[in-house]
Structures are given as C-alpha cells and as structure tokens.
Amino acid sequence: MKIKFGRIIKKGKSLLLAYDQGLEHGPADFNDKNIDPAYILEIAKKGKYNGVILQKGVAEKYYNNEAPLILKLNGKTNLIKGDPVSTQLCSVKEAIKLGAKAVGYTIYVGSKHEAKMFRDFSKIQKEAHNHKMPVIAWMYPRGKAIKNEKSKRVLAYTARIGLEIGADIIKIKYSGNVESFKWIVKSAGKTKVLVAGGPKLSKRGILKEAYDAMKSGASGMAIGRNVWQYKEPLKMTKALKEIIFNNKKVEAALKILK
Ligand code: FBP
C-alpha cells in the first residue's frame, strides 16, 4: 500500500501545527490573538508548516489552503473525569471534502474505553488507506490503569501499538530523555514518530526537547501551544525548523529567538 504523504513528510521529517486545543482544553489556552483561528492559519502559511491540525468546525469556517490540512476526526473535552474516551466527530469522507491530506485520531491507550477507540480507528484507517491518505494517531496512555504516562515501558508499548494498528505517523509525548526515547522510536518501527509540545515551556526547554527528540530518531514535532503562545510564533517556527530540518544545535536555534 503506497501512502501519499505529499508535503506532510519531507525528506523523512515534519513540523505540524496543532490547533485542536479549543475542544480539548477550551479557550483557557488562548489569548486575544490566538483565540482567532485566522491568526493560527497565518502562522501555518507564513511558517510553511508541513500541515495544520484542525477540528472540522474550524476547518469549515476558516481553512483556505494555508498549509496541508490534517483533519482531527475525534475529540473530547477536559471537563469529564475518569477514564477518557474520544468520540468520532467527523468522517474520512467529510475530511476529504474539506481538503484534508491526512486524518488524525486520538487513542487513550490503557483507558477502560480503549477497545472503542481501537474499533473506530480501524475503520478510519481502512477508509483513509483506500484513498492512500496518511493516518496520524495521537497515542496517549491515560486512565486509572496508567501510573506514569511518560515511563519508557508505557510509551514504548504505546508507540508499538501505533505500528501494530497501522498508523502511518504517531504523535506522542516526549519521555524526558534520549536514552528512553530511542527505544520508544525503535518500538514504532516504520511508523514515524512526532513529538507533541505540551504546555508552554521556556524557549530553551522546548528547543532542547526538539533537539533531543530528533537525536532519538523522531521525525519531527506536531506542536501547538509552544508556538502560538510564544510572543513571536514565526521566530519559534524558524528555530524549531533549524533543529528538525537542518540538524542545528539548541544554542544556534536560540540565537534566532534573541
Ligand atoms: P500542544 O503542542 O499544544 O500540546 O498540542 C498537542 C496536542 O496533542 C493537541 O493536538 C491536543 O489538543 C493536545 O495536545 C492534547 O493535550 P492533552 O490531552 O495532553 O491535554
């Protein structure tokens, strides 16, 4: 099966801009500027991102080809407590109609509802692959059974599941060190690994995470808050790109943010 990655993966690498936090966390993540989807799409365009990740409502009302569209097909709020389940909100067909070049789907591995998310994912994966469309799985270990969602064992298991269930790319949290992340990336085999940014870090912190992830064999990042909550998102984009695509060190990338 030949999947068409197009611009989403370039020379084996990628930098995606995530903007589905409005559903996942609510406007608490936003300020006066980044609450406006048009502001984010401008960053995606000017920053020449390999893709922008949106839920369908934002895509329907704002998307105008600024960067390859990755349509997130499921989601949940952070208002519910207990073991999480992310429900499908958009079909592959709708995503294609909206111009998507890939689809995204979250699976909370270890949640007591994981079977439902696996079932839905397998249908989506099959349909997307019929269109040669890449499938990106947000692989997040969560729920009562998960004691430490960043442990090497849990993240490696999670990454491996991404390969086993047919994800082309997985998006996972960084484990915190190169030694463990190398094993995690290895566990994913030919499935590409992108690292999620998480809540805002210091500029050195996020660049070090990008550097360490790449050193571990990751293919890049799918990042949101650390870019669009930063005062100069395009400079942060450039700094991340220098690390991801040009193998620059943290100190060199930091100079861009001076
Ligand atoms: P960030 O870089 O802002 O963390 O975005 C990555 C992401 O996976 C988003 O796509 C998603 O909305 C969010 O993180 C989910 O975060 P969490 O489930 O950890 O609260």
Side-chain angles (χ1 to χ4, degrees):
M1 162 79 49
K2 191 91 185 121
I3 300 301
K4 286 190 192 152
F5 285 98
R7 224 178 96 187
I8 289 176
I9 300 278
K10 277 289 162 212
K11 293 187 184 145
K13 295 176 176 181
S14 186
L15 178 62
L16 306 178
L17 189 62
Y19 191 61
D20 59 334
Q21 292 81 353
L23 172 59
E24 301 293 327
H25 308 146
D29 280 349
F30 301 149
N31 62 22
D32 264 357
K33 276 187 183 166
N34 57 36
I35 195 164
D36 181 3
Y39 174 77
I40 305 297
L41 285 164
E42 203 50 27
I43 299 169
K45 186 178 180 177
K46 289 192 176 144
K48 296 194 173 61
Y49 274 81
N50 299 91
V52 61
I53 299 158
L54 304 175
Q55 283 284 350
K56 80 168 176 186
V58 173
E60 282 172 351
K61 291 186 175 54
Y62 293 87
Y63 178 68
N64 190 21
N65 251 320
E66 289 84 354
L69 176 63
I70 295 151
L71 218 293
K72 190 70 203 306
L73 299 185
N74 67 341
K76 69 152 190 56
T77 72
N78 66 5
L79 301 171
I80 47 153
K81 299 296 165 215
D83 278 28
V85 57
S86 191
T87 306
Q88 189 174 347
L89 303 164
C90 179
S91 67
V92 172
K93 237 190 217 145
E94 286 173 277
I96 292 172
K97 256 198 186 151
L98 284 164
K101 297 288 184 278
V103 288
Y105 193 89
T106 300
I107 299 177
Y108 294 113
V109 177
S111 160
K112 66 180 180 192
H113 307 293
E114 70 169 24
K116 183 187 167 5
M117 291 173 276
F118 280 146
R119 233 180 358 254
D120 291 348
F121 178 86
S122 75
K123 290 190 195 128
I124 283 157
Q125 193 266 7
K126 187 173 163 195
E127 200 183 338
H129 280 190
N130 281 340
H131 295 275
K132 300 189 167 38
M133 203 183 206
V135 179
I136 307 177
W138 276 230
M139 300 298 290
Y140 291 166
R142 294 275 162 87
K144 261 194 236 99
I146 305 294
K147 300 289 169 252
N148 176 4
E149 59 181 66
K150 289 194 176 173
S151 86
K152 178 178 173 179
R153 186 186 67 82
V154 166
L155 274 177
Y157 193 172
T158 304
R160 184 64 179 200
I161 294 167
L163 169 66
E164 303 282 345
I165 63 177
D168 303 296
I169 300 171
I170 56 169
K171 175 175 176 184
I172 54 175
K173 308 266 172 178
Y174 183 57
S175 59
N177 66 78
V178 173
E179 180 272 318
S180 64
F181 211 65
K182 273 189 180 159
W183 174 244
I184 291 157
V185 173
K186 203 164 200 180
S187 302
K190 285 188 179 175
T191 294
K192 296 194 176 301
V193 176
L194 299 181
V195 170
K200 193 158 174 247
L201 300 173
S202 67
K203 49 191 182 181
R204 180 181 290 277
I206 190 62
L207 295 180
K208 180 161 182 346
E209 192 163 307
Y211 181 77
D212 287 350
M214 296 312 287
K215 211 163 128 192
S216 313
S219 297
M221 294 189 103
I223 187 169
R225 288 165 283 180
N226 276 283
V227 167
W228 46 253
Q229 287 180 349
Y230 185 68
K231 55 182 189 308
E232 294 174 292
L234 288 173
K235 280 198 178 169
M236 179 56 86
T237 302
K238 190 156 187 248
L240 287 168
K241 279 184 151 180
E242 284 297 304
I243 290 174
I244 294 171
F245 296 100
N246 297 330
N247 307 317
K248 286 277 158 64
K249 298 226 162 86
V250 174
E251 292 308 323
L254 266 172
K255 283 192 186 136
I256 297 168
L257 304 179
K258 290 268 156 68

